Amino acid sequence: MTTDRLRRAALARRKRSLWIAVLLAPGLIVMGLFVAAPLLSAFRYAFYSFHGLAPADFIGLRNFTEVLTEAPFADWTWRALRHNGVVFAALMVAQNGLAFLIAFVLLKALPGHRLHQVIVFLPVVLSAVIVGFLWKLFLHPLFGLVNAALALVGVQGLPWLGDERTALGAIIFTNAWHWVGFPALIFLAGMQRISKETLEAARIDGAGDWRLMTGIIWPLVAPATTIVFILTFIGSFNWFELPYVMAGLNGSPGGATDVLGLYFYRTAFGNVTSGLQDFGHGSALAVLMFLFIAIVSGLALRVLRRREIQV
Amino acid sequence: MTLSDPMLAEVAKLNETSMPYITAVHFRYETPTGSELLQSGVQKMMAGSMTPAEVGASLTQGISRYFKPFQK
Amino acid sequence: MIGKNFARRAFAALMMAGSLGAAAQAGEVTFWTWRQEDKAAYAELFADFTKANPDVTVKFEAFAVESYATTLSTALAAGRGPDVIHTRAYGGLEQFAKAGYLLALDPKEVPELGNLPADALASETLRSDGKVYSLSFASQTLGIFINNDVFTKAGVQAPTTWDQLIAVSKTLKAAGITPIANGMATAWMDEVFTSVLTNPFLGPDFVADILAGKANFSDARYVAALGKLLELRDYMPQGFMGIDYATGQQLFLSGRAGIFVGGSFEIANFRKQNPKINMSFVAPPAPAAGAPRYVSKFYDGGYAVNAPRRRTRRTPCAWCAGWAPSSSVTSSRRCSATSRRSRA
C-alpha cells in the first residue's frame, strides 16, 4: 500500500517536473538562441582581429587595450563613459528627485490628483523615438517652440542641441520629461504601502511635510528607491534611442552628446556616412559595457538591499 | 545617349576641374576614418572649441595609426 | 545619386564569366540594394533583361539605408545573401571584398570595366590585390547650389572667388536673406561642406603630397584652408550649430537662403520637393580670380557578385546591372551601346 502510494507520488513528481520542463523549454530556447548565443559570440569576437568583416586572428586582449588606452579610441571611450555618468547623476537628481516630490504630492490626494497622475504618466507610454523627434522640433533654433516662446519675452534662445554646453543637458531634460512618470509611480506605490497609522502618528507628533518626507517616508520607500536606482543606472549606461534620434550616431556636436551606446553602435555596425564596421573594437566595447553594468548593478543591489533590511 | 538635362550637363562640365573628396576617397579604409575625425573636428572648430591647427593635428594623429607616411 | 530621369540610361545586363553561354541554367537572380527609391526603374531594367534572357528572372530587395551594411554582412557571414549586391565604394567595399565575399571582376568577362575612368576603377578596387570587385555605378560631384531667383532679386551674381562669396553674402544678409543655408548639426554634411569650400585652396598637389607622405594635415595649406571656413559663420543661419541637413535644404528650397553647399545627389531630390525651383550648380569659389575652382568628386558605389554563392549555386546569370553615372557622359554612351549589343 505505502510503497504503491510512494511510487504514485514519485510518478506524479516526475510528471510535474516534465511538465515544468516542457513549459520552460520554449522560453529557454528563445533566450539561448537570441540572447545567450549572440552574447557568447560577442565575447569570442572581442578577442579577434578582423579581415574586413571576417574574423581572422586571435589577438588576445588587444581590442580591449586599444579601446581603453590608445588614442583616439580611448579618448572616445572615456568621454562616452563620462557622459553616461553625467546622464546617470542628472537623472537620479533631477528626474527621480522630481518623481519623488510628485509622488509625495500625489499621495496627499489633493483635489484633481487622479487627473495629475494620468498626466504625469502619459509621456511614459510614448516611444522614445517619438519623444526625441518631438523635442528636437521644439528645440529647433529657427522654428522651435522653445525659442519662439523665449523670443516673446525678448530672450534670444540658444541652438540647444547644437551647442556643446547645452546639447547633453537638453537630451537629459527630454529624458526626464519622458520618463518622470515611471519612477513617480513606483515611489507612489511604495508610499501607499506605508500604513496610515504611521503617517498619522508622525503628524500628531507635530511632523511637518519636510520632516514627514525625509524622516518617515524616505526610509520606508527604500525598496522603491532600490528599483529606481538600478533601473536608472542600467538605462543611463545603455542610453541609446534619445541621443540617437536627437544628436545622431556621432553624438553631435563634436561628440558632446556621445555616450557608450552610440559609440558601440557606430563602431560595431558602422556609420554609413563616415565609418566602417569594426566588429573587433565593437565587441570589446559591448563586453566592457556588459561587465561594467552587471558588476555595478550587482554591487549596488547588495548595498541598497542591506539598507532596506536595516529599516 | 546624351545628357538632355542641362543641370547634369553642368555637372559633367564641372567634373573637368575636379579633385578627390579627400577624406572619403583616401581615408575611409581603416578606423579611425579620416571622415569621422574631420566631421567631429569641424563641428568643434565651427563651435569655437577647437582651432584649425588642432583639427589638422587630430586628423594626422588619428590617421597615423594605419597610414605609414604619417608615422614620422 | 542617380536621378529619376536615368531609367532609360540603363546599361544593364552585363553578363559575366561562364554565364553568357550558361544562361541555360534558368533561375532567379536576387539583387539587394539600399535604394528603395529606384525600385520602379529597376523593375523596368529587369523586365528588359528577362526579355533578353527569358529563363532568368530578377528579384529586387531593398533595405533601409542605415541597416543595409549590417543586414548584408550578417547574411554574407551566414553564407547567404543575394547573387548581385549593390556595394559602397572605397573602405565600404573593401571590408566586404577583403572578407572574400565578392567575386573579383575579370576585365575580359566584364568589358564595361574598360570604359570606366581610372578613379572609378580605383573606388572599387581592393588595394591589397589590385583587383576590381564592383562595377562602379555613379559618381558624385560636390559643389555649390545657387538659388537664382534669390540672387536676381538681391541683384547679385554667383561668386567665383572667395572675396566675392563674402561680398555676396554681405549683400544677401543686408537684404534679410540668410546667405548660406547649411548648418553644422548633421556630421556627414560637415565633411561635404568642408571639402567643397577648402578644396580650391588645396588643389590636387596637396592630395599628391599627402599620399606621398610629403605633407600631413598639420600642413600650413590645410590649416589655412580650414581657417577660411570660420569666416562663413556670420553668413550661416542663426543658431547654425543646431541647424541640421534637412533644415538647411528647406531654407534653400524655400528661398530663405541663397546658397546651399551640397552634392549632385541633391538635384533630383530638390526638384521633387520644389519643382519650380530655379537653381544652378556651380563650382566653389577660387582663392583668387582666375585660379582653378576644383569641385570634389567621389564614387558612390557599384554592383558586385556574391562569390561564395556563385560557387555553390552556379548563379545562372551572374550579372551586374548598372546605370551609367549620371554625370559621366562618355561612359554612359558607350555602355548603352554595349547593352544594346548584348541584348541583340
Side-chain angles (χ1 to χ4, degrees), chain C residues 150-151 153-157 164-179 235:
Chain C
V150 170
F151 267 56
K153 221 166 118 197
V156 289
Q157 305 239 310
Q164 282 178 20
L165 173 67
I166 300 294
V168 164
S169 296
K170 283 200 170 110
T171 312
L172 288 173
K173 196 174 176 181
I177 294 160
T178 305
Y235 309 111

Side-chain angles (χ1 to χ4, degrees), chain C:
Chain C
M1 305 268 161
I2 11 177
K4 262 187 132 182
N5 48 351
F6 57 90
R8 296 288 77 220
R9 224 174 294 129
F11 75 80
L14 98 90
M15 317 284 276
M16 296 209 353
S19 55
L20 195 65
Q25 295 176 15
E28 189 183 64
V29 175
T30 49
F31 169 62
W32 281 14
T33 178
W34 65 89
R35 293 188 56 83
Q36 177 69 45
E37 59 270 43
D38 294 342
K39 188 170 183 175
Y42 274 111
E44 213 172 310
L45 188 72
F46 297 154
D48 282 354
F49 182 77
T50 304
K51 214 180 284 168
N53 307 273
D55 44 1
V56 184
T57 54
V58 186
K59 194 172 154 214
F60 173 94
E61 283 182 77
F63 298 85
V65 63
E66 307 82 36
S67 56
Y68 182 69
T70 316
T71 312
L72 182 60
S73 58
T74 314
L76 291 172
R80 288 193 293 274
D83 298 291
V84 180
I85 306 169
H86 210 168
T87 63
R88 301 276 180 186
Y90 310 109
L93 171 88
E94 194 166 280
Q95 52 180 355
F96 288 99
K98 233 184 187 173
Y101 294 142
L102 308 179
L103 187 75
L105 303 180
D106 183 340
K108 269 181 278 173
E109 297 159 6
V110 190
E112 267 72 13
L113 289 175
N115 296 331
L116 291 170
D119 54 350
L121 292 176
S123 74
E124 305 290 2
T125 299
L126 180 57
R127 295 170 306 165
S128 55
D129 67 4
K131 289 183 181 154
V132 179
Y133 283 84
S134 189
L135 187 66
S136 197
F137 80 94
S139 76
Q140 300 295 352
T141 304
L142 305 177
I144 288 181
F145 287 91
I146 302 283
N147 187 324
N148 294 328
D149 293 339
V150 170
F151 267 56
T152 313
K153 221 166 118 197
V156 289
Q157 305 239 310
T160 59
T161 64
W162 185 269
D163 292 341
Q164 282 178 20
L165 173 67
I166 300 294
V168 164
S169 296
K170 283 200 170 110
T171 312
L172 288 173
K173 196 174 176 181
I177 294 160
T178 305
I180 300 170
N182 302 67
M184 284 284 139
T186 305
W188 70 270
M189 263 316 271
D190 299 344
E191 187 184 2
V192 170
F193 185 85
T194 306
S195 183
V196 168
L197 293 163
T198 57
N199 263 357
F201 287 89
L202 300 169
D205 290 348
F206 174 74
V207 184
D209 285 355
I210 284 277
L211 296 179
K214 283 190 222 154
N216 59 31
F217 290 103
S218 298
D219 192 280
R221 285 171 287 177
Y222 194 72
V223 173
L226 282 180
K228 294 303 270 184
L229 298 180
L230 296 173
E231 294 174 23
L232 301 178
R233 292 189 293 184
D234 287 341
Y235 309 111
M236 290 164 71
Q238 194 210 317
F240 64 86
M241 287 306 300
I243 300 289
D244 62 3
Y245 178 43
T247 308
Q249 290 176 315
Q250 291 316 314
L251 290 176
F252 177 76
L253 287 169
S254 64
R256 285 180 61 168
I259 296 169
F260 183 85
V261 178
S264 47
F265 46 84
E266 312 280 5
I267 296 174
N269 174 35
F270 277 0
R271 282 183 176 150
K272 200 159 82 189
Q273 294 196 45
N274 180 2
K276 277 183 278 181
I277 190 152
N278 174 13
M279 59 181 178
S280 25
F281 186 59
V282 301
R293 297 162 61 194
Y294 295 104
V295 293
S296 309
K297 191 177 164 203
F298 69 104
Y299 289 83
D300 228 12
Y303 300 97
V305 174
N306 182 340
R309 188 164 161 91
R310 183 161 183 258
R311 272 195 297 276
T312 55
R313 193 178 170 236
R314 279 202 49 79
T315 302
C317 222
W319 50 259
C320 287
W323 289 318
S326 47
S327 45
S328 67
V329 189
T330 38
S331 68
S332 64
R333 195 187 297 136
R334 283 196 203 131
C335 291
S336 49
T338 326
S339 94
R340 263 197 304 281
R341 257 206 316 281
S342 64
R343 246 182 247 163

Side-chain angles (χ1 to χ4, degrees), chain A residues 8 40 51 60 64 94 113 115 126 182 210 222 227 237 242 248 254 259 269-270 274 280-281 299:
Chain A
R8 216 177 303 150
L40 288 175
H51 200 60
F64 292 94
H113 72 282
L115 182 68
L126 297 174
F182 188 73
W210 177 252
I227 294 171
F237 282 85
L242 267 190
V259 287
F269 300 119
S274 68
H281 286 155
L299 287 177

